[in-house]
Amino acid sequence: MTTPKQQSSTEHRPIEQPCRGAFSIAMAVVLAVLMAGTNRLHAQEVTTDRDRLGMALEYFQNEKYHEALLLFERLEKQYTLNPRYHAYMGVCLFHEWDYEKAARKLSQCLPKLEALAPQERSVYYFTCAESYFFLQRYREAIAYYEQMLLLCFDNEKADALFRLGFCHMQLANVDNAIDYLQAAQDYYQRFPHREKTARLTQIGNMIKGLKRIAEQDKDKKADAEALPEVQGGEPTSSEPETAPPPTNREK
């Protein structure tokens, strides 16, 4: 944990003593006791904050995200936390269903986490993507899902591919949606997943629906291209032309 935010310090100047002897010795003792007490209080404060950080990390590891978030937010008010702790806070915010704050927190700290292991970073990218997904900001979600796929293990790709297919479907990118859903289908079949059967059924139905839409779009395009081009000139009409009304001279 980084050091607390620096506070303004006061300069200690020697105090002129009006007399010497026993009074000087007594004042020296009092000052020494006060200084010692101040140092002990400061040491207790630092130890307490370190304990809070340890508790926050333990809560986070045990998936007690609400309790972890409360401690991280308290520490953030007194200290400059490093980007990794901000990523932890983003994950906590996501599990608290505060997707707006989670997306903002993670998107801000992710560029500062390049030194971390790829698999750990993939968790933060996926959480950020999920936050944007639940906010229905599908374009932003796509970018973070794609980045996650570059970092995670193969057995972790199925959910991200499924989400990408869903995002492209919502954006009416039918061909891209089909491609991602078919890729997700392949990964769900290759690796174990807690919702494997249900997800494969869902993907199969989505692909069928998207293929019907693609066929309909293809037929509409073909029909539009088959229509004869309208030539220039006056339009023809089967109705006989009517004579103009007679003038006064004709009457």
Side-chain angles (χ1 to χ4, degrees):
M1 184 170 63
T2 54
T3 57
K5 296 177 181 177
Q6 188 175 2
Q7 300 177 349
S8 60
S9 59
T10 58
E11 183 181 356
H12 297 281
R13 295 185 177 88
I15 302 175
E16 291 187 5
Q17 300 295 334
C19 61
R20 298 180 182 181
F23 181 78
S24 298
I25 295 173
M27 287 297 297
V29 171
V30 171
L31 289 172
V33 171
L34 289 175
M35 291 297 295
T38 302
N39 290 335
R40 283 198 299 271
L41 288 173
H42 182 68
Q44 290 175 358
E45 181 182 355
V46 173
T47 302
T48 301
D49 288 340
R50 287 178 178 173
D51 291 341
R52 290 194 187 101
L53 178 60
M55 291 171 59
L57 295 174
E58 185 175 355
Y59 281 137
F60 183 81
Q61 292 172 353
N62 291 318
E63 299 183 359
K64 295 182 178 180
Y65 298 112
H66 178 74
E67 293 84 351
L69 181 61
L70 292 177
L71 290 173
F72 281 130
E73 288 179 338
R74 178 173 179 175
L75 292 168
E76 187 182 26
K77 294 178 181 178
Q78 304 176 38
Y79 298 87
T80 302
L81 301 180
N82 67 47
R84 195 178 204 171
Y85 294 147
H86 283 284
Y88 292 166
M89 293 176 69
V91 174
C92 292
L93 287 164
F94 172 81
H95 287 284
E96 287 286 283
W97 303 336
D98 195 340
Y99 303 126
E100 189 73 43
K101 288 184 179 179
R104 182 166 60 251
K105 177 74 73 173
L106 288 165
S107 62
Q108 289 174 352
C109 70
L110 272 169
K112 305 174 185 177
L113 300 176
E114 296 295 323
L116 299 184
Q119 202 278 332
E120 181 179 353
R121 288 163 56 209
S122 74
V123 174
Y124 305 139
Y125 274 105
F126 184 76
T127 306
C128 188
E130 289 282 271
S131 299
Y132 282 121
F133 179 86
F134 288 116
L135 291 170
Q136 298 183 8
R137 294 166 58 177
Y138 299 115
R139 296 188 189 280
E140 290 97 326
I142 286 172
Y144 285 96
Y145 284 128
E146 289 177 343
Q147 191 65 33
M148 179 262 188
L149 289 174
L150 300 176
L151 301 169
C152 68
F153 296 124
D154 284 348
N155 62 350
E156 298 171 334
K157 291 183 177 181
D159 286 339
L161 290 166
F162 172 74
R163 292 295 204 206
L164 281 165
F166 192 94
C167 289
H168 281 288
M169 183 179 70
Q170 293 298 316
L171 296 172
N173 300 327
V174 176
D175 291 338
N176 287 340
I178 292 174
D179 290 342
Y180 277 115
L181 288 172
Q182 288 176 336
Q185 192 175 47
D186 178 59
Y187 276 91
Y188 279 123
Q189 290 171 342
R190 288 170 54 190
F191 299 99
H193 192 277
R194 63 184 182 278
E195 299 176 353
K196 183 173 184 175
T197 302
R199 188 55 58 83
L200 285 172
T201 301
Q202 182 182 12
I203 290 175
N205 292 332
M206 292 172 68
I207 291 175
K208 289 179 182 178
L210 288 167
K211 285 185 175 180
R212 284 197 296 268
I213 294 173
E215 286 296 325
Q216 292 172 0
D217 292 342
K218 184 178 179 180
D219 291 341
K220 289 179 181 179
K221 185 177 180 181
D223 291 341
E225 292 176 351
L227 290 176
E229 295 182 359
V230 178
Q231 301 295 328
E234 295 294 332
T236 59
S237 176
S238 58
E239 297 182 2
E241 294 184 1
T242 57
T247 62
N248 291 332
R249 293 181 180 179
E250 291 175 349
K251 289 180 180 180

